[in-house]
Amino acid sequence: RQRLAFDVSSTTTLDMYAAAPGQQLDSAAQQLTRQKAAHDRVRGVYEGGLTIWECSRDLVRTLGQAAETVSRDDGKEEQQQQQEAEEEDGKGVRILELGCGHALPGVAAAKLAAARSTETETPETETERKAKRRRRSAERKNEESDTFAAVARVLSRGAPLVLHLQDYNEVALRLAAKPAVRWNLDNLNVEVRYFSGAWCTNGVLPANGQCYHLVLSSECTYEVSDVPVLVKTALACLARRGGVWLDASKAHYFGVGGGADELRRVLAKRDDVRVDDVELPHVPGENIRRVTAIRWL
């Protein structure tokens, strides 16, 4: 295995473990890795799940920054709104990563949510709770525009924690996602399930019709024809109240035409979602990368 360190802030690093090259492979895995060696992807055969792509790293950092934001505030400003949501939706957080590959974003989200669920809360008086409820009501409109606050609310929902991971290739789940889950979540109480195969073109959920508070995808928009299917599947999976879909993509994938720009074009045809970008540093000469946050209006 290999250790990956993600710099969340000047003082915080999120450590993750992922499968390293040079594993002992069975025949099916050997065939898939030969495809990987020859091409980044082979449509309908291999969809890139054995590579740790740059945008998945961006998504891990974004999740860590959201958790860092709520940690600096001790999470108290989020708790009242969470309690209101839980009255309708029940406690706990459900996370889905589409096209997961090594599943580092999904695993990171579960790890961060587990850390939040085990923190000790300071008891508050009834007067303090009422004051915060009034303040939250007045500030809600502004805070809805804050992607980090929206993600922080999801990560603060507490137990039970559910993580579902989907990838086109079963071998990628076996060689990349499952080891990442084992190495990063082994001592945490997280229910994990795996799904292999194509995204559902009719919008049927990959998890028996259950919606998710957090949907994640990275490097999934490279093919133009795949973007509408991704949008339909992700939104069908996304909880109507408080749900956040985070997609990390390059602005444009040269040669195939997809990318974050194409995702925005598809989403612009809808009038029922809000779309925001998380600002990322750009290295001159490199392809622009974006994290896009999508929420129901």
Side-chain angles (χ1 to χ4, degrees):
R1 68 180 182 178
Q2 58 181 316
R3 175 180 173 272
L4 303 173
F6 296 90
D7 294 328
V8 173
S9 69
S10 59
T11 59
T12 304
T13 300
L14 178 62
D15 289 332
M16 303 283 292
Y17 293 92
Q23 307 171 74
Q24 294 297 318
L25 307 177
D26 58 25
S27 58
Q30 289 174 359
Q31 181 178 359
L32 196 64
T33 53
R34 282 195 293 270
Q35 296 283 0
K36 175 184 180 296
H39 307 280
D40 285 342
R41 63 183 288 266
V42 179
R43 185 170 179 81
V45 178
Y46 169 64
E47 294 294 338
L50 296 179
T51 299
I52 300 177
W53 298 99
E54 299 94 334
C55 290
S56 68
R57 296 171 183 262
D58 293 335
L59 199 46
V60 170
R61 291 189 189 93
T62 298
L63 291 163
Q65 288 164 357
E68 179 78 354
T69 299
V70 75
S71 294
R72 284 198 298 268
D73 296 334
D74 293 328
K76 292 180 179 179
E77 290 298 316
E78 310 299 331
Q79 291 171 11
Q80 183 59 48
Q81 191 168 8
Q82 253 347 103
Q83 290 171 5
E84 295 171 3
E86 287 162 8
E87 290 176 2
E88 295 184 10
D89 192 31
K91 197 172 182 181
V93 56
R94 296 176 55 81
I95 302 165
L96 170 68
E97 184 174 357
L98 296 168
C100 67
H102 284 257
L104 293 180
V107 169
K111 186 175 182 177
L112 293 165
R116 292 295 304 164
S117 69
T118 57
E119 290 181 0
T120 302
E121 297 177 3
T122 304
E124 294 179 315
T125 66
E126 181 63 25
T127 301
E128 289 173 327
R129 285 194 292 270
K130 288 181 178 179
K132 287 185 178 179
R133 188 180 301 117
R134 289 193 296 269
R135 185 165 66 251
R136 293 296 295 170
S137 178
E139 295 175 351
R140 185 170 299 171
K141 183 176 180 180
N142 289 334
E143 294 212 23
E144 283 298 316
S145 65
D146 186 346
T147 298
F148 280 1
V151 175
R153 284 193 289 273
V154 171
L155 297 177
S156 301
R157 290 182 59 91
L161 305 177
V162 175
L163 172 63
H164 290 174
L165 301 171
Q166 180 275 338
D167 194 272
Y168 185 84
N169 296 110
E170 183 277 332
V171 175
L173 292 174
R174 178 157 45 87
L175 295 182
K178 290 184 178 181
V181 167
R182 183 170 68 252
W183 293 326
N184 294 284
L185 302 179
D186 188 45
N187 296 320
L188 302 177
N189 188 19
V190 181
E191 175 193 323
V192 185
R193 291 184 63 190
Y194 304 89
F195 304 86
S196 61
W199 298 322
C200 303
T201 56
N202 58 2
V204 176
L205 306 188
N208 302 319
Q210 300 181 72
C211 287
Y212 300 85
H213 307 106
L214 184 62
V215 176
L216 304 169
S217 56
S218 60
E219 306 274 13
C220 290
T221 63
Y222 43 79
E223 189 78 43
V224 172
S225 61
D226 287 342
V227 176
V229 183
L230 173 66
V231 169
K232 192 168 187 177
T233 303
L235 291 180
C237 294
L238 187 62
R240 287 275 175 175
R241 182 182 175 95
V244 183
W245 169 25
L246 292 178
D247 176 84
S249 298
K250 296 180 177 69
H252 184 78
Y253 291 90
F254 298 97
V256 284
D261 293 342
E262 180 64 21
L263 175 63
R264 270 194 166 270
R265 278 192 287 270
V266 172
L267 290 168
K269 299 176 183 177
R270 307 182 62 106
D271 59 4
D272 56 353
V273 294
R274 177 193 184 98
V275 182
D276 297 292
D277 285 330
V278 177
E279 185 175 350
L280 297 176
H282 173 57
V283 178
E286 293 186 1
N287 199 343
I288 296 172
R289 304 199 301 269
R290 294 184 183 144
V291 173
T292 305
I294 301 97
R295 287 174 280 170
W296 294 110
L297 290 174

